[in-house]
Amino acid sequence: MDIGTTLTHFLLEEERKYHDASGDFTRLMSDLTTAIRTISSAVNRAGIEDVLGQAGATNVQGEDQKKLDVLANDLILQSMEAMGHVAGLASEEMEAPYAIPTGYPKGKYLLVFDPLDGSSNIDVNISVGTIFSILKAPRPGVDATVEDFLQAGAEQVAAGYTVYGGSTQFIYSTGQGVHAFTLDPHVGEFILANQDLKIPQETTEYAINASNRRFWEPAIQQYVQDCEEGKDGPCGKNFNMRWVGSMVADFHRILMRGGVFLYPRDLKKPEQPGKLRLLYEANPMGFLAEQAGGACTDGVRRMLDIQPESLHQRVPVVIGSKAEVERVKEYYERFGTA
């Protein structure tokens, strides 16, 4: 039986294109996907085993942690800490970077991750996911500091995510296109499903949490109003609105069929510059969007050009089909912010 091209085979073929490749990146990805397969199994068994519900603690963001948040975070740490590929890890669930334990070798990469994006949806069986970003360690072989992680998104070596849904899919890019793999549970391997994915340039779908409408900035208020007016309005076409509430699920839909996802700054918490995290969510997804021919901004600036100022920095996000992301930028130029 031909099971198709596995992720392992695909990574090795990509590695052979670089004469100076050490194999460290391929091994890092292998260790990461080992953790991801275990997380997938835990998500699939969440209604059977005692991993649903609150963990009884909050993360650094002040958000209630789910049991699966903690489990997914620990699984990735355990998979990576002893293997010698990374000099440090940073997680949305931890206030400070995770130091590689004494006695373990430190590598030349940094791993940044959101262990379980959309975990508030776990209890109702809606798709969730893992998001990751890989950076070069400025000081290979040395314990990473906070400053080492504060690199603009354009500096990412690779980025990707896993969506745990009807099937478990692993999507990643090293700057040479975006590729999707589906986990075959019978053989325990990720199998190539789509190579060099492209987001359609134009779209008739947008995703936004409309319950926050009264708090939106003028540009977003006007943009959504114009979309709602359809072909008789300024946009000249009818739109559908979609919203899952899990960035992985919303972005995956856009990657596969086009659309624009908006999580703008709003006035519900005026002191907060945005909801999503630059390092753990916006940068890796922005990297993938650009590699797939789409775009990602904070409404005005290219996301991958923003210089991080802190480990858990938040930003507004507009991501998806390039023409629509540019249209939103024009609305900001015309109607401004709050």
Side-chain angles (χ1 to χ4, degrees):
M1 180 180 68
D2 182 7
I3 64 171
T5 302
T6 67
L7 176 60
T8 301
H9 182 266
F10 191 87
L11 287 167
L12 288 170
E13 287 298 315
E14 291 295 299
E15 180 185 309
R16 291 189 181 102
K17 296 177 182 178
Y18 301 91
H19 298 299
D20 59 346
S22 65
D24 285 348
F25 176 81
T26 300
R27 288 189 288 271
L28 186 160
M29 290 286 281
S30 177
D31 294 334
L32 178 60
T33 54
T34 295
I36 283 169
R37 287 193 297 268
T38 309
I39 295 169
S40 176
S41 177
V43 170
N44 290 336
R45 294 180 58 81
I48 301 172
E49 298 181 353
D50 183 25
V51 291
L52 291 177
Q54 306 288 347
T58 58
N59 63 16
V60 64
Q61 320 292 338
E63 300 163 337
D64 290 333
Q65 287 182 313
K66 301 287 187 179
K67 292 178 182 178
L68 272 173
D69 281 322
V70 177
L71 176 62
N73 191 74
D74 289 347
L75 285 169
I76 293 174
L77 296 180
Q78 292 166 13
S79 179
M80 304 304 301
E81 64 181 5
M83 306 311 293
H85 311 313
V86 297
L89 304 104
S91 165
E92 183 183 310
E93 298 298 325
M94 303 185 300
E95 182 174 1
Y98 180 80
I100 304 301
T102 302
Y104 290 154
K106 282 80 175 177
K108 60 184 180 183
Y109 295 107
L110 304 175
L111 180 65
V112 179
F113 61 97
D114 179 353
L116 205 62
D117 175 74
S119 59
S120 61
N121 289 321
I122 274 286
D123 293 355
V124 292
N125 202 28
I126 290 176
S127 295
V128 295
T130 297
I131 308 173
F132 69 91
S133 168
I134 299 172
L135 302 162
K136 286 186 178 179
R139 300 170 303 130
V142 177
D143 286 322
T145 65
V146 170
E147 289 71 24
D148 291 336
F149 289 92
L150 303 184
Q151 302 181 39
E155 299 300 316
Q156 292 173 103
V157 173
Y161 66 89
T162 305
V163 58
Y164 309 108
S167 62
T168 295
Q169 289 197 294
F170 180 84
I171 291 84
Y172 88 101
S173 176
T174 58
Q176 304 294 324
V178 179
H179 315 300
F181 297 78
T182 300
L183 181 62
D184 183 339
H186 296 295
V187 297
E189 288 275 7
F190 281 100
I191 309 300
L192 181 64
N194 303 94
Q195 191 169 351
D196 200 21
L197 285 163
K198 295 296 181 186
I199 299 173
Q201 294 292 296
E202 303 280 347
T203 184
T204 55
E205 289 188 353
Y206 66 97
I208 193 168
N209 185 353
S211 68
N212 290 327
R213 184 173 193 146
R214 65 193 183 279
F215 301 112
W216 293 340
E217 295 176 314
I220 300 299
Q221 293 263 8
Q222 189 63 51
Y223 171 75
V224 172
Q225 178 179 318
D226 289 351
C227 288
E228 291 174 342
E229 292 180 9
K231 65 180 182 180
D232 299 321
C235 296
K237 55 185 176 181
N238 293 326
F239 279 81
N240 288 323
M241 189 182 80
R242 299 283 186 262
W243 180 254
V244 178
S246 164
M247 188 186 188
V248 158
D250 279 307
F251 180 76
H252 190 66
R253 182 186 60 251
I254 288 168
L255 178 64
M256 302 307 291
R257 72 183 195 196
V260 61
F261 171 89
L262 305 101
Y263 213 129
R265 174 180 178 266
D266 61 49
L267 300 180
K268 186 163 56 176
K269 293 184 178 180
E271 76 286 354
Q272 189 170 286
K275 171 68 173 176
L276 300 178
R277 288 76 176 180
L278 177 60
L279 294 181
Y280 309 107
E281 296 162 321
N283 272 347
M285 293 307 206
F287 185 83
L288 291 168
E290 289 195 3
Q291 285 298 312
C296 182
T297 71
D298 66 352
V300 178
R301 299 175 294 174
R302 179 189 180 222
M303 190 64 68
L304 302 190
D305 287 338
I306 297 174
Q307 176 59 46
E309 297 175 358
S310 64
L311 203 58
H312 297 284
Q313 181 176 340
R314 297 176 188 256
V315 288
V317 175
V318 180
I319 186 171
S321 296
K322 192 170 186 178
E324 212 59 35
V325 173
E326 289 299 319
R327 188 199 300 268
V328 175
K329 182 178 179 180
E330 292 170 5
Y331 273 75
Y332 270 103
E333 292 169 351
R334 290 165 55 197
F335 299 102
T337 60

